[in-house]
Amino acid sequence: MTEIPLRVLVVDDNEAKRNRIRGALADAVGEPQLDLKSASSVAAAGAMLESHDFDLLILDLNLPMRDGESPVKDGGMRLLRTIVRGGPRLRRPKHIVGLTEFADLFKESESEMESESWQLLHYAFDSSAWQDVLGRKAVYITGTLAGMRSDDDYQTDLAIITALKEIELDAILSLPCEWKSLRRSQDDTYYYEGRIETEGGPLKVVCCAAIEMGMAATACLATKVIYNFSPRYLAMAGITAGMAGNFGDVIFADQSWDYGAGKVINSSNAESVFKPGPNYIAVDAELKEKAQHFKQTRSAILHEIESRWQGNTPSSRLNLSIGPVASGAAVVESQEMIDAIRTHNRKLIGVEMEVYGSFLACRTARAPRPKCFAAKSICDFAAPPKTDEYQKYAAFTSAQFVLEFAKHYLR
């Protein structure tokens, strides 16, 4: 059986100290068993924690806030408090160890570290005591990893979720996937299990719809799907408002955020003013690369999707757009609102109600986490008059794109 590497993040602005920490860990578990990354500031560590899972975080308490700045005595504790607050972009390390060579800083931080069940060690250049403790910690964690993380832990290749049972889920169930109804004990959701045939072999697929529209319902559904089926990929399909393009065009979200997140304050004239504070979640870089490759090399497939549709078709050719999609709590039919949302990101290409919820559920799910993407199609342009004329066509092109994307890129 292949050994599972110990994933470690070392945060310290002293390169020599980082090297000593690495040496202590390598001596304990072996260099090949070590997957170690390093950062020299709070900001750099935060960026690492946004994009990687770690079994062990080791950090100096006296850290600069940004690379190139001078250390501040509570820099490390500020990072740890951010982790405790559970910001959606930060992935919590399983174990945390603090290091400091300053006796006063040790005394100031000891009780707070203990209250969170974190370990705090005295660092001294001429002492091996801290190295022995780190080594034993690494050996213990490595021992718990056996059999815990493996690609084999994924039970399903792809899960497809929608916000609407009618129109959106109907379009997914119309795909040639040999769908069969599937129920889970003490779970009211109706799931469907099928397969997508690819040149590399069949993909095991499940699909389902949320109980209602919106980010909250989508996040709940995505979390249940991840727990029940452990998919390698999770796709959000359906319909969306577009900022440009044509009815039915497919929008692939390269990032998403809740445009309603922020703070309402009183302005100088006592009027309430909304100050946006969005948390952006980006799609996995590899999936974005694959979507771009699809756009550049597989336009013929989009034309084939058009030819499969049996209803009223727009006169324009079907296109794929890749860009930012904002999520909110309400259906938008207001140019003023769209202009306000666009101030968050001038490259905005879509506005809808669910994508951020699916991204957040996957970002915060237990391991092994699925890679999440959203491919919704344009049914309106978030401005009056809004009609239902192209909803079924948009749901169809979205479902067909997910099918073709899975066939060519997810095996």
Side-chain angles (χ1 to χ4, degrees):
M1 184 177 68
T2 303
E3 291 187 333
I4 301 172
L6 176 66
R7 304 169 300 185
V8 183
L9 175 61
V10 177
V11 188
D12 199 299
D13 61 329
N14 185 312
E15 184 177 3
K17 188 174 169 185
R18 292 199 302 267
N19 290 336
R20 292 197 74 199
I21 293 171
R22 183 186 190 101
L25 297 173
D27 288 344
V29 300
E31 186 71 36
Q33 186 74 1
L34 202 56
D35 178 10
L36 187 145
K37 292 179 170 56
S38 61
S40 57
S41 68
V42 171
M48 282 285 187
L49 291 168
E50 285 185 21
S51 56
H52 295 82
D53 294 299
F54 292 101
D55 302 304
L56 175 60
L57 168 64
I58 303 170
L59 81 163
D60 188 10
L61 299 186
N62 190 47
L63 281 175
M65 297 305 295
R66 296 175 181 79
D67 289 345
E69 296 181 354
S70 298
V72 293
K73 63 184 300 184
D74 65 340
M77 293 307 299
R78 291 191 198 182
L79 174 61
L80 295 180
R81 290 170 193 139
T82 301
I83 293 173
V84 170
R85 287 197 298 269
R89 293 178 294 176
L90 297 187
R91 304 180 182 185
R92 290 192 176 197
K94 294 181 176 64
H95 301 267
I96 296 176
V97 176
L99 284 175
T100 183
E101 59 187 300
F102 301 107
D104 59 337
L105 191 51
F106 185 99
K107 186 175 181 180
E108 291 174 12
S109 307
E110 186 176 17
S111 62
E112 186 173 354
M113 294 286 290
E114 287 182 354
S115 69
E116 298 293 342
S117 299
W118 299 327
Q119 198 165 6
L120 182 59
L121 302 177
H122 275 296
Y123 172 85
F125 183 80
D126 57 355
S127 171
S128 62
W130 63 271
Q131 293 173 298
D132 294 339
V133 175
L134 277 186
R136 290 195 297 271
K137 171 74 79 172
V139 169
Y140 172 80
I141 298 172
T142 302
T144 68
L145 296 178
M148 287 180 60
R149 293 198 316 266
S150 167
D151 282 347
D152 294 337
D153 289 340
Y154 291 109
Q155 300 169 13
T156 307
D157 295 301
L158 172 65
I160 307 170
I161 63 175
T162 67
L164 301 172
K165 290 182 174 66
E166 295 182 359
I167 301 178
E168 292 181 337
L169 184 60
D170 287 347
I172 299 298
L173 292 175
S174 296
L175 298 174
C177 297
E178 302 176 11
W179 297 110
K180 296 179 181 178
S181 181
L182 179 67
R183 300 301 303 274
R184 291 288 188 179
S185 176
Q186 298 181 327
D187 186 344
D188 291 336
T189 299
Y190 283 83
Y191 301 102
Y192 300 87
E193 186 176 45
R195 54 193 282 154
I196 295 175
E197 298 295 339
T198 76
E199 291 183 359
L203 298 174
K204 184 177 179 181
V205 190
V206 296
C207 71
C208 53
I211 192 170
E212 61 184 36
M213 298 167 63
M215 288 177 283
T218 294
C220 289
L221 178 65
T223 299
K224 286 206 300 183
V225 168
I226 294 167
Y227 180 83
N228 284 327
F229 301 101
S230 191
R232 188 182 304 275
Y233 298 98
L234 188 144
M236 182 89 207
I239 59 179
T240 182
M243 300 300 98
N246 303 293
F247 292 113
D249 283 358
V250 181
I251 286 180
F252 187 98
D254 68 1
Q255 62 176 286
S256 188
W257 68 99
D258 176 1
Y259 64 75
K263 184 178 182 181
V264 177
I265 63 172
N266 286 327
S267 64
S268 57
N269 58 3
E271 292 184 355
S272 295
V273 176
F274 175 68
K275 297 290 185 180
N279 287 312
Y280 298 92
I281 300 180
V283 73
D284 176 78
E286 182 181 7
L287 284 174
K288 182 178 179 180
E289 186 85 11
K290 290 177 177 179
Q292 290 171 333
H293 186 269
F294 189 109
K295 179 179 175 67
Q296 294 165 0
T297 65
R298 301 187 184 276
S299 58
I301 293 179
L302 295 176
H303 300 157
E304 183 182 335
I305 289 173
E306 284 180 311
S307 69
R308 297 172 189 165
W309 175 244
Q310 299 299 311
N312 183 27
T313 305
S315 58
S316 56
R317 301 308 302 263
L318 186 63
N319 290 302
L320 168 65
S321 297
I322 303 168
V325 172
S327 299
V331 175
V332 176
E333 189 178 357
S334 164
Q335 187 60 49
E336 182 181 359
M337 174 63 78
I338 292 299
D339 291 342
I341 299 170
R342 191 177 271 121
T343 63
H344 303 178
N345 192 317
R346 62 182 178 80
K347 296 182 180 180
L348 180 73
I349 65 170
V351 172
E352 48 75 75
M353 298 175 63
E354 292 88 22
V355 171
Y356 181 75
S358 65
F359 278 22
L360 182 58
C362 291
R363 169 62 65 86
T364 57
R366 69 177 189 177
R369 296 179 179 88
K371 293 183 178 180
C372 185
F373 67 95
K376 291 191 170 189
S377 295
I378 297 174
C379 68
D380 64 66
F381 297 93
K386 286 170 70 85
T387 70
D388 299 340
E389 182 179 0
Y390 288 106
Q391 284 189 353
K392 289 186 177 181
Y393 176 64
F396 171 84
T397 61
S398 168
Q400 293 288 324
F401 172 83
V402 170
L403 173 68
E404 296 297 337
F405 189 73
K407 281 183 178 180
H408 292 90
Y409 295 99
L410 300 189
R411 167 49 67 193

